[in-house]
Amino acid sequence: MANVVVVGAQWGDEGKGKIVDWLSERADVVARFQGGHNAGHTLVVGEEVYKLHALPSGVVRGGKLSVIGNGVVLDPWHLVKEIETIRAQGVTITPETLMIAENTPLILPFHGELDRARESQNSVAKIGTTGRGIGPCYEDKVGRRVIRVADLADDATLELRVDRALVHHNALRNGLGLDPIDRDALLAQLREIAPAVLEYAAPVWKVLNEKRKAGKRILFEGAQGALLDIDFGTYPFVTSSNVIAGQAAAGTGMGPGAIEFVLGIVKAYTTRVGEGPFPTELQDDDGERLGVQGHEFGTTTGRKRRCGWFDAALVRQTCVTSGVTGIALTKLDVLDGFETLKICTGYALDGTTLDYLPTAADQQARCTPIYEEMPGWAESTAGARSWAELPAEAIKYVRRVEELIGCPVALLSTSPERDDTILVTDPFAD
């Protein structure tokens, strides 16, 4: 059985939650491999709506093992609250259904404080961070001063890790005009939360290897989108981790051979939350209409998303950098009723034509989209579950997207309901 990696192929908010939930019914293991609780997945299961941030989407499905991999940064207090919330909705979560990698870095209160302080005092260019401490925690991981899940099990080790972190952070805080961190209070908080986290701790790399050898289906779940990747995104307006599919291996302890199908989630138009370049952004009635019909507000922040036409040049890029096997095209129904649709095929830059978005920020800012137009459709695609239920012009639009991005559609989503999905290629099939 194939193991599947699900990645967002735009700037996030592509509808990964529904697709992961749809796939997780057939998976044995669902593993988160990067990001933090700045991610947000909304799952609609029957009449119940679940909003997940730290927990893998598989937790709402009985009989599945959900895994938080070492590539994730974890706020332990948020995790405990999220578990309580999901349990209150009738979901059973135990150490048999949820595992956290022992080498997972922990987001501590001072990470969020630093995140917010730097963003508020940055007079040059705001990044658009959610202020939840994800970036500072990844910085500490690379700086070898982060506290990891396993450190909670030994008090002497915990104190050493805290002291190392405070040497760095108190110096930063002094420069930002913040009070020093209360060492004793922080240790008390960590000792209090430790049992609630440690009961889920496990050598995830070992468990996943055993599951793979046993022929179990593993679904690797990413957060955000590939255009927010720390290396291949629109830097510096990016997240602090690698988002592309290759991170699924490093972020769980699996070898790259474990990745057998990469499913890129792609919205039928383009959205972005926060700051940064957005070549096809619409600041007109069409942009407003996309936002209203698509209910474009962030799951985590509630922020209104910026909306624009589908950018095939950008998705073509992310299909390459993530090695996408097939895409899941979501929210096709939001385009219902548009008389004319536009697709960006490339960019004009200083008199030249490019088929990709350049790396340099100044060049990105000068890029203007090159569009081709297609007729829209008046009929509704909402809830369609077969090609026969789609208008001819909608099918033409999907086929043109495939041609322009150089990647086939494996799944087509026509509403937030998990069963309103047209299966073209089964990602789990060998």
Side-chain angles (χ1 to χ4, degrees):
M1 298 297 179
N3 296 322
V4 179
V5 179
V6 174
V7 294
Q10 293 160 308
W11 276 295
D13 307 309
E14 302 96 348
K16 291 185 294 296
K18 169 194 167 170
I19 301 299
V20 170
D21 178 55
W22 192 86
L23 290 170
S24 69
E25 190 171 38
R26 301 175 59 237
D28 301 298
V29 181
V30 181
R32 271 282 306 270
F33 61 85
Q34 54 78 221
H37 63 301
N38 54 344
H41 288 175
T42 299
L43 308 182
V44 181
V45 184
E47 299 297 316
E48 198 72 45
V49 178
Y50 303 96
K51 293 187 180 294
L52 304 179
H53 300 277
L55 292 169
S57 297
V59 296
V60 302
R61 293 282 163 193
K64 313 291 180 186
L65 172 61
S66 292
V67 168
I68 296 176
N70 56 278
V72 173
V73 287
L74 183 66
D75 182 326
W77 295 276
H78 175 90
L79 174 72
V80 170
K81 288 180 182 177
E82 190 169 318
I83 289 173
E84 291 172 353
T85 299
I86 299 302
R87 277 177 174 161
Q89 292 183 266
V91 176
T92 299
I93 299 178
T94 69
E96 285 68 46
T97 62
L98 175 66
M99 290 184 182
I100 303 171
E102 296 167 313
N103 50 342
T104 301
L106 297 178
I107 301 172
L108 304 183
F110 58 73
H111 288 131
E113 293 169 7
L114 176 61
D115 209 355
R116 294 184 292 273
R118 288 197 299 207
E119 187 77 353
S120 66
Q121 295 183 27
N122 189 351
S123 60
V124 179
K126 295 186 182 300
I127 300 300
T129 172
T130 58
R132 299 194 172 200
I134 282 81
C137 186
Y138 274 117
E139 291 175 37
D140 279 359
K141 176 182 178 178
V142 175
R144 293 163 294 194
R145 56 182 170 266
V146 82
I147 294 164
R148 306 195 295 180
V149 168
D151 299 329
L152 297 175
D154 181 75
D155 201 60
T157 299
L158 183 60
E159 290 195 21
L160 285 173
R161 297 285 187 269
V162 166
D163 288 341
R164 180 174 175 81
L166 296 197
V167 169
H168 174 80
H169 280 275
N170 280 334
L172 277 180
R173 293 170 71 90
N174 182 58
L176 291 167
L178 300 176
D179 293 334
I181 297 165
D182 187 330
R183 176 184 185 273
D184 292 339
L186 175 60
L187 283 167
Q189 286 179 286
L190 288 167
R191 288 165 181 146
E192 181 182 15
I193 201 71
V197 177
L198 287 171
E199 67 171 313
Y200 301 105
V204 158
W205 64 270
K206 185 174 185 295
V207 173
L208 290 179
N209 182 56
E210 291 167 353
K211 295 290 185 183
R212 186 185 179 206
K213 284 185 174 180
K216 302 298 184 183
R217 290 171 167 171
I218 303 173
L219 182 62
F220 298 94
E221 177 186 7
Q224 289 96 29
L227 293 171
L228 295 174
D229 185 90
I230 188 68
D231 289 310
F232 293 100
T234 49
Y235 191 90
F237 304 100
V238 293
T239 194
S240 298
S241 61
N242 285 114
V243 179
I244 57 176
Q247 177 63 19
T252 58
M254 301 287 285
I259 301 173
E260 294 158 317
F261 192 104
V262 178
L263 183 68
I265 315 300
V266 179
K267 201 176 284 187
Y269 50 103
T270 311
T271 63
R272 177 165 198 169
V273 171
E275 308 295 327
F278 186 170
T280 65
E281 183 173 12
L282 297 172
Q283 312 230 2
D284 57 11
D285 290 343
D286 284 336
E288 185 67 22
R289 181 176 174 183
L290 286 171
V292 171
Q293 292 185 185
H295 307 290
E296 296 297 349
F297 294 90
T299 301
T300 300
T301 64
R303 289 185 291 182
K304 185 178 180 180
R305 298 179 185 130
R306 301 154 63 190
C307 297
W309 296 120
F310 184 80
D311 193 329
L314 280 179
V315 176
R316 189 163 57 236
Q317 276 182 240
T318 58
C319 283
V320 171
T321 57
S322 269
V324 174
T325 313
I327 68 166
L329 191 66
T330 67
K331 290 199 163 186
L332 183 67
D333 55 303
V334 175
L335 299 181
D336 292 353
F338 279 89
E339 185 174 339
T340 302
L341 300 171
K342 294 182 180 181
I343 300 177
C344 173
T345 59
Y347 312 102
L349 173 65
D350 303 336
T352 62
T353 300
L354 297 178
D355 61 357
Y356 67 97
L357 189 67
T359 299
D362 64 305
Q363 292 181 357
Q364 290 177 354
R366 297 198 307 276
C367 283
T368 57
I370 298 171
Y371 288 117
E372 68 173 48
E373 294 188 356
M374 296 190 68
W377 52 89
E379 307 95 321
S380 173
T381 63
R385 299 184 181 182
S386 70
W387 289 107
E389 298 176 58
L390 294 176
E393 297 302 335
I395 295 175
K396 290 178 183 177
Y397 182 83
V398 174
R399 294 307 187 201
R400 185 56 178 151
V401 165
E402 289 180 314
E403 291 173 1
L404 289 171
I405 67 174
C407 194
V409 170
L411 295 167
L412 186 63
S413 170
T414 57
S415 94
E417 296 296 327
R418 68 187 302 276
D419 292 328
D420 291 342
T421 304
I422 300 171
L423 177 64
V424 182
T425 302
D426 184 355
F428 277 119
D430 286 333

